[in-house]
């Protein structure tokens, strides 16, 4: 077991921040779903799920929810297919955290916002079927929790 650690994540301008005071997250993942690619502007998203009772948020956020009510349904699966509300800084636009509809006791947090080289590595890699073929081959990296074509939950199975 790890001891409790205090870690702080923030947006680029510092007006929206999140402080986590707890043990290393039980779930840290690399995600390659299309929604994460769009949200980050990158071919990968590295994210952690943090128990809400260990999180303090400072600053104002604007929100964006997925799926978008009344819009045409997405034609692909994503890690937020069950619903998520993203909180981003109204000043600089950085996404700092998100509420996960199917996991209301945790917040999703972009690991890059911690700018902490000691942050624990990912345990699982999801939505590898959507990964850019030219990018680093995440499926070759060791993942103690496994590699998944989709989300690594009961909704998607482990890679063959």
């Amino acid at each position: 077991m790890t001891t409790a650690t205090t870690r702080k994540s923030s947006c680029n301008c510092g007006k929206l921040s999140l402080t986590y005071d707890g043990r290393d997250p039980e779930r840290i993942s690399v995600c390659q779903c299309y929604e994460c690619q769009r949200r980050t502007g990158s071919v990968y998203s590295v994210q952690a799920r943090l128990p809400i009772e260990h999180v303090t948020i400072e600053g104002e956020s604007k929100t964006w929810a997925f799926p978008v009510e009344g819009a045409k349904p997405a034609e692909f699966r994503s890690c937020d297919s069950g619903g998520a509300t993203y909180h981003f800084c109204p000043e600089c636009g950085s996404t700092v955290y998100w509420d996960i509809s199917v996991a209301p006791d945790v917040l999703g947090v972009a690991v890059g916002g911690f700018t902490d080289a000691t942050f624990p590595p990912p345990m699982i890699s999801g939505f590898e079927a959507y990964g850019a073929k030219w990018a680093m081959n995440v499926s070759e990296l060791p993942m103690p929790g496994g590699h998944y074509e989709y989300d690594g939950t009961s909704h998607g199975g482990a890679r063959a």
Side-chain angles (χ1 to χ4, degrees):
M1 284 227 150
T2 59
T3 58
T5 303
T6 300
R7 299 180 191 272
K8 186 169 184 173
S9 172
S10 72
C11 64
N12 282 327
C13 71
K15 291 184 177 178
L16 177 60
S17 66
L18 175 149
T19 302
Y20 173 67
D21 188 16
R23 298 188 183 280
D24 286 349
E26 291 184 19
R27 179 178 168 140
I28 304 168
S29 61
V30 172
C31 185
Q32 297 177 69
C33 81
Y34 294 150
E35 285 303 318
C36 282
Q37 289 181 37
R38 288 179 178 146
R39 178 179 53 79
T40 64
S42 179
V43 294
Y44 305 110
S45 168
V46 182
Q47 52 206 18
R49 290 187 179 182
L50 305 178
I52 250 171
E53 69 269 12
H54 296 282
V55 173
T56 304
I57 295 165
E58 296 178 62
E60 291 186 38
S61 69
K62 287 205 171 243
T63 60
W64 179 79
F66 183 85
V68 177
E69 190 174 326
K72 179 182 173 188
E75 296 178 1
F76 52 85
R77 293 178 54 207
S78 65
C79 70
D80 59 5
S81 291
T85 301
Y86 293 92
H87 295 261
F88 58 95
C89 175
E91 184 70 25
C92 68
S94 300
T95 301
V96 177
Y97 66 97
W98 50 95
D99 304 303
I100 305 166
S101 298
V102 297
D105 296 337
V106 297
L107 289 178
V109 180
V111 170
F114 288 100
T115 59
D116 178 357
T118 68
F119 202 92
M123 299 151 187
I124 67 168
S125 171
F127 290 89
E128 291 181 352
Y130 297 159
K133 302 304 177 212
W134 51 262
M136 177 181 66
N137 189 353
V138 174
S139 64
E140 296 298 320
L141 297 174
M143 295 283 169
H147 290 270
Y148 299 89
E149 291 290 337
Y150 296 101
D151 61 4
T153 67
S154 60
H155 303 289
R159 287 191 85 151

